[in-house]
Amino acid sequence: MEVEEKNRFVEFVKKYGIFVIVGIIIFAVALTFTLIAALHKAVPTGTTRLDFRSPMNNATIIKDFSNKELQKNETLNQWEAHLYVDFVSDDASVNSILDGTVLKIDQPYLEGTTVTIQHANGFVSVYSSLSENVLVKEGDVVSAGQKIAEIDNSAAGELSMGAHLHFALKLNNSFVDPNDYLDLQVK
Ligand SMILES: [Zn+2]
């Protein structure tokens, strides 16, 4: 009786063992892919949403971020990458998008009056084409939503666009697409 059972088992393994092994392999591969997918979902690159305030109230985007497709710059009459997002609004106020510290206030020729603010986690926001009389100074601590300046057409590189905000977001010193981090169209 026992010998017969053993033989049955051996027969079973001979007949179906390969299916069991294949099944285990398929299960293991599927589990690996599921875990990889879950990890990607948990740590998406470039999609960490920030709890931010809009850089302008009731803002309209007139020129979006573009690092691959070149965009026509009507002022300079040339095609270029635009690592910024340009806003207009009836309200000229420009607000800090997050809590931070004013890192720099300068007036580069092409960008015009510019306020640069350092935030936590390696983020830096850059506000350009501002009027000269900014409301903050270097070293000031600002809070999210705090008015820091007003728009103007001080950016020589975008004069033909009129008064607007030329806004950039940097992460660890590199320009990033603000749309990946901020819901610019919503707020
Ligand atoms: Zn611009």
Side-chain angles (χ1 to χ4, degrees), residues 1 3-4 12-13 18 28 47 50 61 64 84-86 91 113 115 123 140-141 154 161 165 168 172 187:
M1 197 68 176
V3 173
E4 205 172 283
F12 179 85
V13 169
I18 187 71
T47 54
L50 301 175
I61 293 173
D64 213 339
Y84 294 75
V85 179
D86 294 330
D91 183 348
T113 303
V115 174
F123 286 100
D140 278 3
V141 173
S154 62
M161 296 172 78
L165 171 65
N172 302 327
K187 289 190 182 179

Side-chain angles (χ1 to χ4, degrees), residues 29 42 49-50 52 73 88 95 102 104 111 115 159 174 187:
V29 169
R49 306 313 282 189
L50 301 175
F52 80 107
N73 181 320
V88 289
N95 316 312
V102 178
K104 193 168 67 175
E111 285 82 26
V115 174
L159 262 188
S174 295
K187 289 190 182 179

Side-chain angles (χ1 to χ4, degrees), residues 50-159:
L50 301 175
D51 184 19
F52 80 107
R53 305 291 285 271
S54 175
M56 293 194 81
N57 306 318
N58 305 314
T60 303
I61 293 173
I62 52 170
K63 194 174 188 183
D64 213 339
F65 178 95
S66 175
N67 62 348
K68 292 193 181 77
E69 275 178 44
L70 297 183
Q71 298 192 40
K72 181 75 182 285
N73 181 320
E74 300 291 348
T75 306
L76 303 176
N77 194 30
Q78 66 183 21
W79 292 85
E80 61 186 17
H82 189 249
L83 304 178
Y84 294 75
V85 179
D86 294 330
F87 297 91
V88 289
S89 170
D90 292 338
D91 183 348
S93 305
V94 174
N95 316 312
S96 177
I97 58 163
L98 293 164
D99 293 347
T101 304
V102 178
L103 196 62
K104 193 168 67 175
I105 297 172
D106 58 353
Q107 297 179 302
Y109 180 68
L110 290 177
E111 285 82 26
T113 303
T114 298
V115 174
T116 304
I117 300 178
Q118 175 79 58
H119 308 288
N121 304 317
F123 286 100
V124 166
S125 57
V126 183
Y127 312 78
S128 290
S129 193
L130 306 174
S131 70
E132 268 182 55
N133 51 333
V134 298
L135 305 173
V136 290
K137 55 186 192 303
E138 289 179 6
D140 278 3
V141 173
V142 295
S143 52
Q146 182 179 332
K147 181 175 176 178
I148 55 168
E150 293 196 345
I151 55 167
D152 204 338
N153 60 348
S154 62
E158 293 186 339
L159 262 188

